[in-house]
Structure formats: C-alpha cells, structure tokens
Amino acid sequence: MTADLEVPGSWRDYGAAGLPSPLRAALEAFVEHGYHGTSVREIAARAGLSVPGLYHHYPSKQSLLQGLLELTMADLLRRSEQAIAEAGDDRLAQFDAVVESLLRFHMYRREQAFVGSTEMRSLDGDYRPRYIGHRVRQQRMVDEIVLGGVDAGVFVTADPKGAARAVATMCVGVSTWYRVDGELGADELIERNLEYARAIVGYVAR
Amino acid sequence: MTADLEVPGSWRDYGAAGLPSPLRAALEAFVEHGYHGTSVREIAARAGLSVPGLYHHYPSKQSLLQGLLELTMADLLRRSEQAIAEAGDDRLAQFDAVVESLLRFHMYRREQAFVGSTEMRSLDGDYRPRYIGHRVRQQRMVDEIVLGGVDAGVFVTADPKGAARAVATMCVGVSTWYRVDGELGADELIERNLEYARAIVGYVAR
C-alpha cells in the first residue's frame, strides 16, 4: 500500500482530488451506495475498465477502500504538517494553522471525509489499526499545540485534550453540511470557526 | 407514518431505545452494512420474523428506514422541547438545556444518529424533505435561543446563526467518537462541552 499522492502547491490549495481513476470511481460509488452496497463490477464500469483490468491494479474491493482512505489520510496529514511548519514557533499561529487545515480539508474533501467516517466499519481487521493510527496522529497534532499553548499561557482551559477534541469535532463536522457551491463563503466560514476554536481553548487576546 | 414513541420520564433519561423489533433489526443491519448493503431478508431474520410477516408491518425496506428515522427525530425533538420548556425564561438556562439535550442524544443514540446522517442519501425523494424539515427544526431551536440571547445581551457574537451552527456541529459530532462504556464519564463530557458551547456564543459570566 503506497500513499504518494502529490500535493501541488500550498496546503491551502484544493483543486481536483487527483485520485487514480479506479479510486475516484470507488469513491463515487461508496458515497452513493456505501461499501457493502457497491460491486466491483460497478466500480469497473464507472472507471471505464473491465473487471480483470481493474483487478490488475486493485485485487479486491477492500484494496480499493484501503487505497482510497490511505491517500485521503496522507493528504490530510501532509497538509496539516505543512500548515503547522509554515506557522513557525508561535503557538497561536500553529493553532490557527491546524484548525484552518482541518476546516479546509473537510470543506473541499467532504466526500472522502464521508467515506472515511462511514466505512471504518468495512475495513479489514489487519488494516484498520493503521487507519485509526492516521486519525490519532491528526488529533495528536491538535492536542500538542493546545497543550503547548496552555503551558505557554496562551490558552486557558482546564482540560486541554478535551478542548482539542471539541475543536477537531467542530472542524470535522463541517463536512456534514458545508457546500462549496453554497451561499456561505469558504473564507468567511474559516474566519468564524477560527474565532469559535480560539474561544473553546480559552484564548484571550492581549 | 406515525411517530408515537413514548419517552418515559425526563428528557435526560436514556434506557433501551424501545424501538419495535423490526426497526431495531433494521437499525442493527444498517449500522453494520448500510442501507444498500442490507436485504429485507436479513432484517426479517434479525427480527425473528418471516419476510411476509415483516412486510405485514413494513411494506418495504424504505418504509423501515423512514420509520426508524421518523421515530429517531421525534424522540430528539421531543426531548429538546421538553428540556427548553423546563428551563423557563432564562436564556442561558435554555441554551444549556438544548446543548445538553443534543449532547445526550448523540451520546446515547449514536447508532440512530449514525444512520440518520449516513443514510439521508437513501431516502426516497417524497420523504426526504420531511426528514430535512425535522433537522432544520432542531437547528432552529438552537438558532432562536442564541439570537434571543444576543438580543438580551447574554451572548456576544457577530454571527449568532453561525455560532449556533458551530455549537450544534460540535454536539452532533460527539456521536462519532463517544463511547458510553468508555473512560470519559457522560456528566464530565457534558460539563466540558457546555463550557465550550458557551464560549462559542460569547457568554461572559457576570
């Protein structure tokens, strides 16, 4: 299982997802009918491949799901790491960066986020821990920044990890209702949610 | 479609969900395999019924999904209304009540919440607007309390509806990770999240 999706440009840039066509076809089918409601035949047809042609690259429906989620998480983690690195040493800037990265990903990759959250149930037992590890790693990025900010006196909260969890929950949940083509602009949504996230961790401007 | 599930006792009390056995069987199957990955035969077997016996009460798989989501939303809405009514005229008490109600529901009815959020895609077009109407009604309860609180000077936020949406997103999202049998106690989680919710809407204790 390789995860070498290129992220061109900034962590803020979201164009087409750039998935290989079998994974794009699997994504569309899983979003519409779920993993268990989708056949390999349907995915092959959507990808414009024969079933043997599809199996040549992905030997099972499970490998399509795993390949899709592996690329999804690699993309999210790389963007978040890049955002945090760019923010430098300032705790608040790091916090804003990881929150913005989580928000953008869950606004612009909502279909991938949907499959990730709904089809964890469908992952084979030998891969599932790896996938959960990716999610834990993302949460740890938020945890560490909030914990560091509390140590530095930038944030004031009695339960830094609980606050970090609430922030991530709010950002991830945006994927359940935000529409890129809707009325609410992306930058406005991000600006507002940065305020809410700062309020959750008890940031007081000085 | 009737929705007359009894809610015994307080809006805070969560025992067994009290679903009719065909709906309980449908819930379990949809959680495991999704709507499209589940057959009526499987639901009948789980409910200990013959397929004709199941069809006698629910004439289609779609009617099982609709029946389940209708009872789920009726339960949520009734609890939230009861919580708000008990809170009396105080805006902050109303806010705390609706937040706690949302949190408890998404902690104790996480499987129903999961099917509600994942299988909206599977609802027939003639029922879907009714279901979305229920969800909008729940959101409006939060919106109105936050708007009223801002008017009364209890909350300070530039975008009351945006803040209300963020609060609801955080509460609903708890269903994606909270485990009733996990380490984090329900009352502790509620207490923390009430703090975060108050922070989002800009409540300043006086």
Side-chain angles (χ1 to χ4, degrees), chain A residues 30-34 36-37 114 117-119 121 157-159 162-163 165-166 169-170 173-174 177 192-193 196 199-200, chain B residues 30-34 36-37 114 117-119 121 157-159 162-163 165-166 169-170 173-174 177 192-193 196 199-200:
Chain A
F30 296 159
V31 165
E32 270 182 46
H33 301 122
H36 290 288
F114 178 79
S117 65
T118 56
E119 299 299 354
R121 63 183 169 194
T157 173
D159 178 9
R165 174 80 95 154
T169 301
M170 182 181 74
V174 163
W177 56 265
R192 296 292 188 206
N193 277 267
Y196 308 144
I200 289 172
Chain B
F30 296 159
V31 165
E32 271 182 45
H33 302 122
H36 290 288
F114 178 79
S117 65
T118 56
E119 299 298 355
R121 64 183 168 194
T157 173
D159 178 9
R165 173 79 97 154
T169 301
M170 183 181 72
V174 164
W177 56 266
R192 296 291 188 208
N193 277 267
Y196 308 143
I200 290 171

Side-chain angles (χ1 to χ4, degrees), chain A residues 177 184-185 188-193 195-196, chain B residues 143 146-147 150 155-167 200-202:
Chain A
W177 56 265
L184 183 61
E188 192 187 344
L189 179 89
I190 288 166
E191 194 187 327
R192 296 292 188 206
N193 277 267
E195 281 172 33
Y196 308 144
Chain B
D143 294 353
V146 176
L147 283 162
V150 168
F155 306 134
V156 179
T157 173
D159 178 9
K161 289 185 77 169
R165 173 79 97 154
V167 166
I200 290 171
V201 296

Side-chain angles (χ1 to χ4, degrees), chain A residues 102-103 106-107 165-178 184 189 193 196 200, chain B residues 95 98-99 102-103 106 113 117 135 138-139 142-143 161-177 193 196-197 200-201:
Chain A
L102 270 173
L103 285 168
H106 288 88
M107 291 157 67
R165 174 80 95 154
V167 166
T169 301
M170 182 181 74
C171 294
V172 167
V174 163
S175 68
T176 62
W177 56 265
Y178 184 75
L184 183 61
L189 179 89
N193 277 267
Y196 308 144
I200 289 172
Chain B
F95 179 74
V98 76
V99 169
L102 270 173
L103 284 168
H106 288 88
S117 65
R135 293 176 70 117
Q138 174 62 62
Q139 183 63 51
V142 186
D143 294 353
K161 289 185 77 169
R165 173 79 97 154
V167 166
T169 301
M170 183 181 72
C171 294
V172 167
V174 164
S175 69
T176 62
W177 56 266
N193 277 267
Y196 308 143
I200 290 171
V201 296

Side-chain angles (χ1 to χ4, degrees), chain B residues 33-68:
Chain B
H33 302 122
Y35 179 80
H36 290 288
T38 297
S39 66
V40 169
R41 183 174 301 274
E42 182 188 342
I43 297 170
R46 282 178 187 258
L49 294 168
S50 65
V51 171
L54 178 65
Y55 277 140
H56 181 70
H57 298 287
Y58 295 92
S60 64
K61 188 167 73 166
Q62 179 66 209
S63 73
L64 286 157
L65 179 62
Q66 291 184 13
L68 176 64

Side-chain angles (χ1 to χ4, degrees), chain A residues 4-18:
Chain A
D4 54 355
L5 190 70
E6 288 298 313
V7 180
S10 159
W11 57 275
R12 283 196 177 91
D13 293 342
Y14 283 88

